Amino acid sequence: MSSLAVSQAEPVAGAAPGTDQSRPPLRRRIALIPTATLLLGAIYCLLPVAWVVIAATKSGRELFSTFTFLPGTGFVENVQDLSAYRDGVYWEWMGNSALYAVLGALLSTCVSAVSGYALAIYRFRGRETIFNVLLAGVLMPPVILAIPQYLLLAKTDLTDSYLSVLLPQILFPYGVYLARIYAAAAVPADVVEAGRMDGASEWRIFTRIALPMMIPGMVTVFLFQFVAIWNNFLLPYIMLSDDEKFPITLGLFTLLEQGANTPALYTLVITGAFLAVLPLVALFLVIQRFWSLDLLSGAVKS
Amino acid sequence: MKSTARRQSYGVKGAPYAHPSPTTTLKRARSAPYFFLLPATVLFALFFALPIGYALWLSLHKVKVSGLGLGSGARKEVWAGLENYTDALSDSELLHGTLRVLGYGCIVVPVMLGLALLFALMLDSEKVRLAPFTRLAIFLPYAIPGVVAALLWGFLYLPDVSPFYFVLDRLGLPQPDLLDGGPLYLALSNIAVWGGTGFNMIVIYTSLQAIPAEVYEAAKLDGATPLQIALRIKIPMVAPSLVLTFFFSIIATLQVFNEPTTLKPLTNSVSTTWSPLMKVHRDAFGEGDIYGAAAQAVIIAFATLLLSFGFLRAANRRQKQEAAR
């Protein structure tokens, strides 16, 4: 009862306390300052996205002559030009990014799940050492790893291949960390024990009993790693020279490098950027309801 | 023996140990975690430990060219001691890059985390409208690759196509060059703030949500304003997640590479050695000096670790002091 009374009498920012009437004015029912602040933040964050959506519809001439936020007429043409650029290399980049991100994130999630489960469920010698050493990987600056990785892969003739981009990204220390926290919370020890009593092998207990319980957390790990691989620029930048293996980030960068001094290529870069953002934004909107961000706060608390 | 009966009825098809004795079960349970950790350990050894070891080895070596440098035996890797390190530490380009990145970090980290905290508190306040929409909108840049973000903002900084210049032009205001001199820092910082605020906001917001409502009730009964509640109760209670976001932001800032590299084609003011990691990359691949680059890389890694752990220790000590009071 007291909490109800309190929430009704709760003063809103900017209003003096103790003057509440039986019907509060509109100002009191909507917190104006927080709402306005958040709206400003949303506008700031959406501005470049809105710009690229509109700029992608403009023909090369319209881009420089019409007002920025006035939609143009050249979208279809821009997409055709982009698709025709160097025999459709743009779509190869998109395909490559999808391959790297899906396959990489899938493998990464499997490794994280099995490692996190082992670290959460078993008590064994070296457990904390292994965990801490794996986690220390997060702190290593990527360039510092990527250069010797490149030099070492060059010795085995693996550079400039799909594997050179895929392999270094499978171990995802943050994913192991999240998987451990999630397994500790989601897999009860007596369920594992019951599986042992029934004679199931440790591997079978993991795949048949524990893994299904860990699925929601593993979806989060997959999504984190998917975004991380899709957005990665540095590793492919160092590893690859054949542009048919480029992911979209690197492809767009080379397009920008060529296009910076030739405004005629601006429309290609802009349309390319717009189409590159689409899949991730779409994925984001669809999955944000499944994305268990509580896991993040759990990670923060412990 | 009830358990034996159950074991038989649940017997695992194809498993060699359908009737395990307690000791074999225990042995399996003992070795199982090592098998489970095998993939992670192998990957760590190959793609983390080995490259780090190799970078250390390289940093202590140099190439010695004998004669005219022709033939296979003419170039030899020889021990260099700390020579590469003294060269790196007295390298003025590296020093300038470090200072630039520190200046950039002094803008990015406080602004980004300040905004993230502000938005998180606003989302958490009562009677706020449009919260789900604004939360998603502010989080959206997280989904956009750093390269694409830099590219989008890069175009928004270009006078020919930017709406900002259009507005300034109409208003008859001066039009600063955003891609040069001091404004370049702001331009680069803005890209990082835009990309990182949403993620940090979500981290802080989720930990705000975890605070039980009863905590505020006493304060509310005492007539505390939402501002007072935010300053005196909410912010101290989310201090651990602030420390964590600060920690990761420092690391990310010191390693800035993608954004200045992407802006480089658009302006002459971003050199190939603008940030320390860009210089490492240039030296390794542009100049072919992998030994010097390795030494610089080791120094940067070491400085990053020192700085971030120093910060964590200081934060922990503060928290312990607060708790003791």
Side-chain angles (χ1 to χ4, degrees), chain A residues 31 44 67 125 142 149 201 280, chain B residues 17 34 47 127 143 190 255:
Chain A
Y44 166 64
F67 174 62
R125 190 191 294 257
Q149 278 170 355
S201 71
L280 272 193
Chain B
Y17 32 74
Y34 298 105
F47 293 103
K127 297 182 191 133
N190 175 54
Q255 297 171 12

Side-chain angles (χ1 to χ4, degrees), chain B residues 271-289:
Chain B
S271 62
T272 48
T273 56
W274 194 87
S275 83
L277 290 196
M278 286 170 76
K279 177 165 158 51
V280 172
H281 181 268
R282 201 250 352 223
D283 285 359
F285 295 108
E287 315 255 295
D289 177 19

Side-chain angles (χ1 to χ4, degrees), chain B residues 308-322:
Chain B
S308 39
F309 277 109
F311 169 75
L312 270 191
R313 278 192 65 175
N316 275 340
R317 204 178 303 141
R318 268 258 348 241
Q319 274 182 344
K320 270 185 200 140
Q321 279 172 0
E322 305 254 309

Side-chain angles (χ1 to χ4, degrees), chain A residues 112 115-120 122 124-139 171-182 184 299 302, chain B residues 34 37 40-41 44:
Chain A
S112 297
S115 318
Y117 171 79
L119 290 164
Y122 298 98
F124 55 96
R125 190 191 294 257
R127 184 172 74 138
E128 289 310 312
T129 314
I130 293 177
F131 182 59
N132 288 332
V133 168
L134 286 180
L135 264 197
V138 179
L139 301 173
L171 182 61
F172 175 38
Y174 192 55
V176 175
Y177 175 64
L178 289 180
R180 179 188 180 169
I181 288 170
Y182 201 83
S302 51
Chain B
Y34 298 105
L37 284 165
T41 316
F44 185 87

Side-chain angles (χ1 to χ4, degrees), chain A residues 148-294:
Chain A
Q149 278 170 355
Y150 172 85
L151 297 170
L152 286 170
L153 284 173
K155 288 185 197 267
T156 50
D157 278 332
L158 269 176
T159 49
D160 201 18
S161 68
Y162 284 100
L163 282 179
S164 67
V165 175
L166 209 52
L167 289 177
Q169 298 191 91
I170 294 177
L171 182 61
F172 175 38
Y174 192 55
V176 175
Y177 175 64
L178 289 180
R180 179 188 180 169
I181 288 170
Y182 201 83
V187 184
D190 36 351
V191 170
V192 177
E193 204 44 52
R196 278 188 199 137
M197 295 298 269
D198 289 343
S201 71
E202 297 296 318
W203 177 249
R204 204 178 159 83
I205 292 172
F206 168 65
T207 53
R208 292 296 163 87
I209 303 172
L211 202 55
M213 292 173 161
M214 290 169 66
I215 291 283
M218 292 311 101
V219 172
T220 308
V221 172
F222 177 86
L223 293 172
F224 268 121
Q225 185 63 338
F226 183 93
V227 173
I229 297 179
W230 185 283
N231 291 357
N232 197 347
F233 166 72
L234 187 77
L235 189 73
Y237 182 55
I238 286 178
M239 292 290 176
L240 302 177
S241 53
D242 172 10
D243 70 358
E244 289 188 359
K245 300 189 184 91
F246 281 6
I248 192 71
T249 45
L250 187 52
L252 275 177
F253 174 73
T254 53
L255 196 59
L256 177 71
E257 256 186 335
Q258 288 163 19
N261 300 318
T262 32
L265 280 177
Y266 277 15
T267 50
L268 283 192
V269 179
I270 290 168
T271 311
F274 167 64
L275 293 175
V277 164
L278 271 190
L280 272 193
V281 171
L283 180 82
F284 220 64
L285 293 177
V286 176
I287 50 90
Q288 50 116 1
R289 59 187 64 212
F290 305 111
W291 196 330
S292 61
L293 286 165
D294 297 347

Side-chain angles (χ1 to χ4, degrees), chain A residues 2-3 6-8 10-13 17 28-31 33-35 37-39 41-42 44-49 51-52 63-64 67-69 111 114-115 117-119 122 124-126 130 133-134 137-145 147-153 155 167-168 170-171 173-174 194 196-204 206 224 227 230-231 233-234 237-238 249 252-253 256-257 260-261 266 269-270 273 276-277 280-281 284-285 288 291 293-294 296-297 300-301, chain B residues 3 6-7 10-12 17 20 25 28-30 32-34 36-37 39-41 43-44 46-48 50-52 54-55 58 115 118-119 122-123 125-131 133-148 151-153 155-156 158 160-164 166 190 193-194 199 202-203 206-207 210 217 220-221 223-226 240-241 244 247-248 251 255 257-258 261-262 264-266 277 280-281 284-285 290 297-298 300-301 304-305 308-309:
Chain A
S2 73
S3 79
V6 167
S7 70
Q8 277 171 351
E10 197 261 335
V12 176
R28 277 164 197 281
R29 275 180 280 133
I30 304 174
I33 295 173
T35 310
T37 312
L38 286 172
L39 271 178
Y44 166 64
C45 289
L46 292 178
L47 184 80
V49 182
W51 177 81
V52 77
L63 187 63
F64 298 102
F67 174 62
T68 322
F69 285 105
V111 172
V114 71
S115 318
Y117 171 79
L119 290 164
Y122 298 98
F124 55 96
R125 190 191 294 257
I130 293 177
V133 168
L134 286 180
V138 179
L139 301 173
M140 272 298 134
V143 169
I144 284 156
L145 282 173
I147 291 174
Q149 278 170 355
Y150 172 85
L151 297 170
L152 286 170
L153 284 173
K155 288 185 197 267
L167 289 177
I170 294 177
L171 182 61
Y174 192 55
R196 278 188 199 137
M197 295 298 269
D198 289 343
S201 71
E202 297 296 318
W203 177 249
R204 204 178 159 83
F206 168 65
F224 268 121
V227 173
W230 185 283
N231 291 357
F233 166 72
L234 187 77
Y237 182 55
I238 286 178
T249 45
L252 275 177
F253 174 73
L256 177 71
E257 256 186 335
N261 300 318
Y266 277 15
V269 179
I270 290 168
V277 164
L280 272 193
V281 171
F284 220 64
L285 293 177
Q288 50 116 1
W291 196 330
L293 286 165
D294 297 347
L296 262 181
S297 69
V300 166
K301 262 183 280 171
Chain B
S3 71
R6 268 177 68 200
R7 213 181 281 149
Y10 279 68
V12 181
Y17 32 74
T25 315
R28 270 195 288 120
R30 251 189 220 151
Y34 298 105
F36 284 1
L37 284 165
T41 316
L43 286 167
F44 185 87
L46 284 179
F47 293 103
F48 284 80
L50 195 62
I52 292 169
Y54 188 52
L58 283 174
L115 281 178
L118 177 73
F119 292 144
M122 294 299 168
L123 278 176
S125 63
E126 284 175 35
K127 297 182 191 133
V128 67
R129 292 292 166 94
L130 299 169
F133 162 73
T134 51
R135 190 179 64 199
L136 191 64
I138 296 170
F139 192 32
L140 190 71
Y142 173 70
I144 293 173
V147 169
V148 176
L151 199 152
L152 294 184
W153 281 106
F155 276 108
L156 289 174
L158 280 185
D160 286 346
V161 290
S162 168
F164 307 131
F166 184 86
N190 175 54
V193 168
W194 183 78
F199 182 79
I202 295 288
V203 172
T206 36
S207 63
E217 274 174 17
K220 280 183 193 163
L221 281 174
T225 64
S241 57
L244 197 87
F247 178 73
F248 282 115
I251 296 178
Q255 297 171 12
F257 181 90
N258 296 358
T261 305
T262 311
K264 202 156 61 66
L266 295 174
L277 290 196
V280 172
H281 181 268
F285 295 108
I290 54 174
V298 171
I300 297 167
T304 310
L305 289 180
S308 39
F309 277 109

